């Protein structure tokens, strides 16, 4: 029921985006606190699955003008995907840093033989990477397209790159 509920919620969000009914409730928020809350949500799961989730708290304070719930949705999606496509014994690294006038969140995990096609298409709606590779059978194929729409609506950018067997998802959000 949880997976079905999640899928219905994602499909509703996707429908709102397509129809122009997608709105943001902007407010000043501590982006580090939001990311840390999401990391706490996944800490037990990572331990249970034998995946090391590494996060070093940055030594700066960062405020963004954003929609708390929508940005949380992005962070959940990116971290969930990193765990979903990792295997027991893998490490997921999460870093936050200032990059000019942006806050950069990077989530890096190991991937085996990821084709360039996967990276090029992962933000396309309904695109799914190899479901057999995911620990729970994969997703619905709209999570990253929703994340991209949310980040773009915040005047930011989300991207993915593979280098030496590691996938890095990067979210850039303008800092206030």
């Amino acid at each position: 029921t949880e997976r079905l509920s999640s899928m219905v919620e994602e499909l509703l969000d996707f429908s709102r985006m397509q129809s122009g009914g997608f709105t943001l409730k902007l407010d000043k928020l501590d982006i580090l606190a939001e990311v840390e809350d999401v990391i706490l949500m996944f800490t037990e799961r990572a331990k249970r699955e034998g995946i090391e989730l590494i996060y070093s708290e940055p030594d700066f304070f960062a405020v963004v003008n954003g929609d708390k719930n929508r940005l949380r949705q992005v962070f959940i999606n990116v971290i969930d995907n990193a765990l979903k496509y990792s295997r027991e014994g893998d490490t997921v690294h999460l870093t936050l840093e200032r990059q000019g006038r942006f806050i950069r969140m990077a989530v890096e995990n190991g991937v085996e033989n990821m084709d360039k096609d996967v990276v090029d298409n992962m933000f396309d709606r309904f695109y799914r990477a190899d479901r057999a590779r995911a620990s729970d059978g994969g997703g619905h194929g709209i999570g990253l397209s929703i994340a991209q729409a949310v980040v773009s609506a915040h005047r930011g950018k989300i991207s993915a790159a593979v280098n030496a067997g590691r996938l890095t998802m990067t979210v850039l959000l303008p800092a206030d």
Side-chain angles (χ1 to χ4, degrees), residues 9-23 70 123-126 141-150 153:
E9 197 59 41
E10 283 186 339
L11 287 169
L12 286 171
D13 281 343
F14 184 73
S15 176
R16 285 183 204 110
M17 282 183 241
Q18 296 297 306
S19 68
F22 179 72
T23 58
R70 296 292 183 185
F123 295 101
D124 295 347
R125 60 184 166 208
F126 303 117
I142 57 175
L144 287 176
S145 60
I146 290 171
Q148 185 177 49
V150 169

Side-chain angles (χ1 to χ4, degrees), residues 85-108:
Y85 290 94
S86 293
R87 295 205 172 143
E88 187 174 350
D90 285 349
T91 302
V92 174
H93 292 271
L94 191 140
T95 57
L96 283 165
E97 63 186 12
R98 287 192 181 275
Q99 194 173 58
R101 63 177 199 88
F102 290 89
I103 302 300
R104 178 183 182 265
M105 179 180 95
V107 179
E108 178 188 294

Side-chain angles (χ1 to χ4, degrees), residues 20-41:
F22 179 72
T23 58
L24 297 177
K25 295 176 186 165
L26 298 176
D27 201 3
K28 300 234 184 267
L29 58 111
D30 177 355
I31 198 71
L32 302 181
E34 295 307 318
V35 169
E36 288 169 10
D37 282 351
V38 172
I39 290 169
L40 285 174
M41 290 172 49

Side-chain angles (χ1 to χ4, degrees), residues 10-11 14 77 81 84-85 113-131 134 137-146 148 160 162 167 169:
E10 283 186 339
L11 287 169
F14 184 73
N77 188 284
N81 279 351
K84 193 181 293 183
Y85 290 94
N113 305 321
M114 182 174 275
D115 294 332
K116 185 177 179 325
D117 277 355
V118 172
V119 176
D120 290 345
N121 296 305
M122 65 177 38
F123 295 101
D124 295 347
R125 60 184 166 208
F126 303 117
Y127 180 81
R128 292 186 297 196
D130 180 10
R131 292 178 55 111
H140 320 116
I142 57 175
L144 287 176
S145 60
I146 290 171
Q148 185 177 49
V162 174
L167 172 67
M169 298 287 296

